[in-house]
């Protein structure tokens, strides 16, 4: 029984570590996407300001 308990705890620990690493990767990807979107929005606004300056 004790061996099975240790194995079960090990599986849970591995699952927690694995899921947390997936969450970390997901967060990094989300940050990268958000940065790209904010850059694109910034480009749109700078284009708008250039058009306004020409008029």
């Amino acid at each position: 029984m004790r061996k099975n308990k240790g194995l079960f705890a090990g599986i849970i620990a591995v699952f927690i570590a694995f899921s947390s690493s997936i969450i970390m990767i997901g967060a990094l990807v989300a940050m990268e996407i958000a940065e790209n979107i904010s850059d694109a929005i910034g480009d749109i606004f700078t284009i708008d300001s250039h058009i306004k300056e020409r008029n």
Side-chain angles (χ1 to χ4, degrees):
M1 185 67 192
R2 201 168 276 186
K3 275 185 182 175
N4 289 350
K5 212 175 205 178
L7 182 69
F8 189 65
I11 289 168
I12 289 172
V14 167
F15 180 73
I16 290 168
F18 187 66
S19 61
S20 66
S21 68
I22 288 173
I23 290 165
M24 281 285 292
I25 291 166
L28 288 171
V29 169
M31 275 175 54
E32 194 67 33
I33 291 168
E35 195 175 325
N36 291 342
I37 290 169
S38 67
D39 286 348
I41 290 168
D43 289 347
I44 289 166
F45 280 119
T46 53
I47 289 165
D48 283 351
S49 65
H50 287 312
I51 291 166
K52 285 173 187 166
E53 282 170 16
R54 284 181 191 159
N55 293 344

